[in-house]
């Protein structure tokens, strides 16, 4: 499954950085964004994950997030998540950058995680930005801000919004300093996250892409494996044993 170059790059790696996307959680039963199953009540994520959609119909957007939170709470981390935790424990330096908001990497035990697009279990006021933890049971009705009274929104990054303060600049530094970079489960179409593997490549890192489908980065990376992350990563860590 792996080339000689890949094995040698991985064995000598001192600083591994990984970027994950929605496909990484697909094997946990969570639909990706751009696949057919990403649709909910015939709406695409692009129609619901925007500040405009929330302003127009906050109840609908909140309902979609409640649906997704329930799905995630009923899901478990998969073999890919656990393999990354093992990888983190096997190398000197490891950093995981994720576009996922589902907390599954943390539930699998990975420690060094930067969430580029926020976390679905956090929320904040739409107006004054005060942070709230929703807690359990999930609230079916949109709560109001205890500070200014405006509506509470999911604590994720929507289309057209900037990434959390420092999350991208820190990730850019991690990517540039990696000697081995793994890109797994992302269609690499959403910027600026899709730039991170390019930063790593430009600084001479070995970049491995894991995705059952080709992406626009497949021909640029050092090696592209057209398989599921939950299949490839448990095999990858055996190289270090
Ligand atoms: N293993 C690895 N990759 C997989 C698997 C799997 N088991 N199943 C699907 N994939 C791949 C698909 O081929 C696709 O390229 O995962 C990718 C998922 O792509 P998207 O749905 O576009 O997800 P992502 O790249 O994370 O999207 C980025 O867009 O909507 C926003 O904020 C949202 O974080 C999200 C961002």
């Amino acid at each position: 499954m792996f080339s000689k170059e890949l094995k040698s790059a991985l064995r000598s790696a001192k600083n591994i950085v990984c970027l994950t996307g929605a496909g990484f959680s697909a094997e946990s039963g969570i639909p990706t964004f751009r696949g057919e199953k990403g649709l909910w009540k015939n709406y695409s994520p692009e129609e619901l994950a925007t500040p405009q959609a929330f302003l127009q119909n906050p109840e609908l957007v909140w309902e979609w997030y409640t649906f997704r939170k329930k799905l995630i709470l009923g899901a478990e981390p998969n073999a890919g998540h656990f393999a990354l935790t093992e990888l983190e424990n096997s190398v000197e330096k490891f950093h995981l950058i994720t576009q996922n908001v589902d907390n599954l990497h943390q539930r699998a035990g990975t420690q060094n995680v930067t969430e580029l697009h926020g976390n679905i279990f956090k929320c904040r006021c739409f107006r004054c930005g005060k942070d709230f933890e929703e807690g359990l049971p999930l609230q079916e009705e949109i709560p109001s801000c205890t500070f200014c009274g405006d509506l509470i929104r999911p604590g994720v990054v929507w289309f057209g919004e900037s990434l959390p303060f420092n999350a991208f600049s820190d990730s850019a530094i991690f990517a540039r300093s990696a000697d081995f970079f793994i890109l797994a489960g992302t269609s690499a179409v959403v910027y600026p996250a899709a730039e991170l593997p390019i930063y790593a490549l430009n600084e001479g890192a070995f970049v491995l892409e894991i995705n059952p489908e080709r992406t626009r980065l497949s021909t640029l990376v050092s090696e592209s494996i057209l398989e599921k992350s939950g299949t490839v990563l448990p095999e990858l860590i055996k190289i270090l044993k």
Side-chain angles (χ1 to χ4, degrees):
M1 185 186 269
F2 308 111
S3 71
K4 253 199 221 155
E5 290 74 24
L6 182 152
K7 288 182 188 166
S8 136
L10 183 64
R11 286 196 187 109
S12 58
K14 304 228 172 320
N15 188 348
I16 300 184
V17 175
C18 184
L19 172 68
T20 62
F24 207 91
S25 295
E27 290 160 81
S28 295
I30 299 170
T32 58
F33 283 86
R34 288 172 184 79
E36 220 177 271
K37 290 183 189 148
L39 291 183
W40 173 78
K41 291 192 174 177
N42 279 331
Y43 293 100
S44 71
E46 279 89 350
E47 289 173 284
L48 297 173
T50 70
Q52 294 78 4
F54 188 74
L55 276 172
Q56 238 170 37
N57 196 341
E59 289 79 17
L60 179 76
V61 173
W62 189 262
E63 190 191 339
W64 180 51
Y65 278 91
T66 304
F67 164 80
R68 289 176 56 203
K69 282 182 265 192
K70 285 181 181 166
L71 195 73
I72 292 166
L73 286 171
E76 294 297 333
N78 63 55
H81 293 106
F82 289 113
L84 285 189
T85 302
E86 208 175 325
L87 189 59
E88 176 172 52
N89 295 330
S90 317
V91 291
E92 256 176 64
K93 264 178 135 180
F94 176 89
H95 206 98
L96 173 62
I97 305 161
T98 188
Q99 299 166 88
N100 297 347
V101 297
D102 58 25
N103 229 21
L104 289 182
H105 286 298
Q106 292 91 331
R107 279 171 59 192
T110 304
Q111 302 282 326
N112 281 325
V113 182
T114 297
E115 292 174 320
L116 276 184
H117 294 165
N119 187 304
I120 200 167
F121 296 103
K122 294 190 174 144
C123 35
R124 65 174 184 276
C125 175
F126 189 77
R127 185 167 168 218
C128 75
K130 185 174 161 61
D131 290 321
F132 290 93
E133 287 284 339
E134 188 183 356
L136 292 175
L138 296 174
Q139 308 211 18
E140 305 277 342
E141 304 285 316
I142 312 181
S144 308
C145 176
T146 51
F147 185 72
C148 76
D150 210 67
L151 293 179
I152 300 294
R153 58 161 282 178
V156 300
V157 177
W158 281 333
F159 290 103
E161 293 186 318
S162 14
L163 302 188
F165 193 63
N166 279 351
F168 187 73
S169 51
D170 287 353
S171 299
I173 293 172
F174 294 133
R176 290 187 204 280
S177 54
D179 44 25
F180 195 97
F181 189 100
I182 302 169
L183 166 71
T186 174
S187 56
V189 293
V190 172
Y191 283 84
E195 276 174 6
L196 295 169
I198 305 291
Y199 293 171
L201 270 176
N202 288 346
E203 298 300 327
F206 189 100
V207 177
L208 163 66
E209 179 179 59
I210 306 170
N211 193 319
E213 287 174 22
R214 288 192 176 281
T215 71
R216 48 173 286 284
L217 295 183
S218 303
T219 52
L220 300 176
V221 296
S222 319
E223 192 149 331
S224 161
I225 299 186
L226 296 172
E227 288 267 6
K228 295 178 174 179
S229 40
T231 307
V232 178
L233 286 164
E235 293 302 315
L236 187 84
I237 53 174
K238 288 185 190 161
I239 297 172
L240 294 175
K241 287 179 183 163

